[in-house]
Amino acid sequence: VQLQASGGGLVQAGGSLRLSCAASGRTLSRYAMAWYRQAPGKQRELVAAITSGLSTNYASSVKGRFTIVRDNAKNVVYLQMNSLKPEDTAVYYCAGYQNALPTGQPGFWGQGTLVTVSS
């Protein structure tokens, strides 16, 4: 399976971006998916995850601002990011798990897309 992330860019604080993660080689509907991010000098962290049953969970730092959704018909997962803050600046990665729930480590990763939020 290949995951292709897109949608990153430069945005001012308070702005919005939508990241997309398109999959090929595997139907994603049965698997949990997630977005991670890694800021300079920091460890990669889980931002948001969605199960095959469409349950979601978020890092406390983004709850209420970010929304993860999946379009199974298009085999795409999105991360809608609103009210962006400079501390959201990071490389964002989409990832997929080998089962319906986001447990353990993801089994496959996309390439990162850079999000830069200016103050």
Side-chain angles (χ1 to χ4, degrees), residues 7-19 37 39-40 62 65-66 81-92 113-119:
L10 174 63
V11 63
Q12 288 188 331
S16 299
L17 282 175
R18 188 178 77 161
L19 305 183
R37 69 185 180 187
V62 307
R65 300 187 297 121
F66 290 12
M81 305 185 295
N82 298 328
S83 302
L84 283 161
K85 304 175 181 180
E87 51 264 43
D88 295 317
T89 294
V91 177
Y92 285 71
T113 185
L114 176 62
V115 173
T116 304
V117 184
S118 63
S119 58

Side-chain angles (χ1 to χ4, degrees), residues 10-33:
L10 174 63
V11 63
Q12 288 188 331
S16 299
L17 282 175
R18 188 178 77 161
L19 305 183
S20 300
C21 176
S24 60
R26 177 180 290 189
T27 299
L28 298 181
S29 59
R30 295 191 299 165
Y31 304 98
M33 298 294 296

